[in-house]
Amino acid sequence: MPPDTIDPRIWAAGFEATFLRKLQGHSPLDAGEREVLRGLVGRLERIGPRAVVVEDGAAPAAAAVLIEGFACRFKLLPDGRRQILSFHLAGDGIDLQSLLLGTADHGIAAVTDCLIAWLPHNALRAAARAHERIADALWRETLTDAAIARQWLLNVGQRDAYSRLAHLFCELGVRAGAAGLGRSTGFEMPATQVDLGDATGLTPVHINRTLQRLRGDRLIAQRGTALTILDWPRLAGAAGFDPAYLRLRAA
Amino acid sequence: MPPDTIDPRIWAAGFEATFLRKLQGHSPLDAGEREVLRGLVGRLERIGPRAVVVEDGAAPAAAAVLIEGFACRFKLLPDGRRQILSFHLAGDGIDLQSLLLGTADHGIAAVTDCLIAWLPHNALRAAARAHERIADALWRETLTDAAIARQWLLNVGQRDAYSRLAHLFCELGVRAGAAGLGRSTGFEMPATQVDLGDATGLTPVHINRTLQRLRGDRLIAQRGTALTILDWPRLAGAAGFDPAYLRLRAA
DNA sequence: CGCCCATTTGAAAAATTTCAAACGTAGTGG
DNA sequence: CCACTACGTTTGAAATTTTTCAAATGGGCG
């Protein structure tokens, strides 16, 4: 059960407004199924920026759901190079595949302050067994995750720096909009230029110069960690962005 | 039911020796469950090199399983650039995610002559519903698929051309060995240099020169489409290869 | 104020791409 | 058997993108 340091009404509302909302974006759930899922929430955890939520190679006994904040998944090379595999917003199940795979093949880290809800594997498995639509929703969530990884592979493998960054911002915009966190043309983008480099397979130096071009071309603007997309059609055009892979209803 | 042009004993043996073997590499299935899966095989299809098995954006009513041959999944950019997302050997379920996602977010193409078994979605869904371990096996198969995509993202995003190719060959070797198709140090690798370029995000020209270096360094040898890994430890070292992500038993 | 951290800048080096053409081999048809 | 074609591989040289290295700048915070 959630620690008494966090008001249950707060996290229940957050869980409903983020994770359940996200699942229902692609899979229907009735009130009973939602109640079952709410009942799964075990420990809640607040972690600070850059903290590692799940260590690469670990075998967690619970799946992490992001309730607040901005996080990323990553893989590390022995020499310290890091590839960010995905960014995550409130509502994302960031660890669901650990339910079946056991050990993690990548790490998960907070980018900002985050609130994590842990759903114990055994309870989650029981819920999936008992409710077919819960199993479907979870499976679909991991499949969407895989679809994003494939899209990133295309991004990193084939597009130049300019389109790569443009594509990343389009994705984050659409996802933020769908998650109810700001508009798709204006949202929080707290990743540093180093993070962006690790996500796109580019050097921070090159990210910096490419960002300057995107700003100079009046496609985006940044104020602190707030990113504004000034010209969505042209940015999406430069990115070759098609949101279909995100599997969102109203996209 | 399978067309009479293909001897049922042949395909039944092939299905057993490839796909069921693959599933059982990570998920236990009893005789009854195997029988259920065998009963799902609908149409069988032979296709020639470069033929497209599933069109990007299509909504197939059956999932494809590769029984013979070598295939790839890919995404295309409007300007013709292509990113290969994965290579597939006999036994791979190459289309399972379509079961839940509906429309495909990428294409599937044959590299060599291929034999495809189609498992109708409705029958597959019914089998998954009725047999929890079948559902688990299928889900796990799609999760492994996602793990490979993540590994490729690291590959393309962070490694240089030399390690990228080395890593790809290590992966194919281990998978070929596990699938019972030759040894991990000697197997069929029918992808052309253009294919390899599309898989690694490099130019065919650069692939060619990098291949020459790998051969010159006595790490690999090629005779026709047969690839021999001459020095596994050094190749794996150059690649930074760790087979854990493939989730194979004896790896 | 001083420190930390992220961003920015400059210049040279390196990796990779581009363009263009040649080469080799296998298969086809005369 | 030879010419011809198709396709994948190989080569060369220049252009470009991206990285590397090193240092400066700037904002936020204790």
Side-chain angles (χ1 to χ4, degrees), chain B residues 191-198 202-204 207-208 211 215 222:
Chain B
T192 67
Q193 294 183 359
V194 171
D195 294 333
L196 293 175
D198 289 347
L202 296 164
T203 319
I207 291 287
N208 183 285
L211 237 22
R215 290 189 297 241
Q222 295 177 284

Side-chain angles (χ1 to χ4, degrees), chain A residues 73 75-78 81-86 96-106 125 128-129 132 135-140 142-147 149-154 156-160 163 197-202 240 245 247, chain B residues 73 75-78 81-86 96-106 125 128-129 132 135-140 142-147 149-154 156-160 163 197-202 240 245 247:
Chain A
R73 306 209 254 167
K75 272 175 179 275
L76 246 30
L77 247 27
R81 277 175 298 172
R82 177 177 71 147
Q83 176 67 41
I84 290 183
L85 305 165
S86 54
L96 293 179
Q97 78 284 344
S98 70
L99 185 62
L100 286 211
L101 288 186
T103 63
D105 57 39
H106 59 268
R125 231 183 310 264
R129 228 184 303 258
E132 193 193 329
D136 273 13
L138 297 177
W139 190 355
R140 208 171 260 124
T142 63
L143 290 176
T144 303
D145 215 73
R150 286 191 290 268
Q151 187 66 45
W152 279 42
L153 194 47
L154 174 64
V156 173
Q158 301 299 329
R159 294 197 238 257
D160 64 16
S163 329
D198 289 348
T200 54
L202 297 164
Y245 71 100
R247 311 276 167 180
Chain B
R73 305 210 257 167
K75 271 176 181 275
L76 284 173
L77 248 27
R81 277 176 298 172
R82 176 176 73 148
Q83 176 67 42
I84 289 184
L85 304 165
S86 53
L96 293 180
Q97 78 284 344
S98 70
L99 185 61
L100 286 210
L101 288 187
T103 63
D105 57 38
H106 59 269
R125 231 185 310 264
R129 231 185 300 257
E132 192 193 329
D136 273 12
L138 297 176
W139 189 356
R140 209 172 259 123
T142 63
L143 289 175
T144 303
D145 214 76
R150 286 190 290 269
Q151 187 66 44
W152 280 41
L153 195 47
L154 174 64
V156 173
Q158 301 299 330
R159 294 196 237 257
D160 63 16
S163 327
D198 289 347
T200 54
L202 296 164
Y245 71 99
R247 311 278 168 177

Side-chain angles (χ1 to χ4, degrees), chain A residues 210-227:
Chain A
T210 306
L211 237 22
Q212 290 182 45
R213 281 214 287 145
L214 284 167
R215 291 190 298 242
D217 293 346
R218 293 284 135 80
L219 297 185
I220 63 166
Q222 296 178 283
R223 249 187 26 262
T225 58
L227 182 83

Side-chain angles (χ1 to χ4, degrees), chain A residues 9-10 37 44 80 124 130 132-133 139 172 175 199 212 236 251:
Chain A
R9 279 165 307 176
I10 304 278
L37 282 166
L44 281 175
L124 198 52
E132 193 193 329
R133 300 208 301 186
W139 190 355
L172 290 177
R175 287 172 56 197
Q212 290 182 45

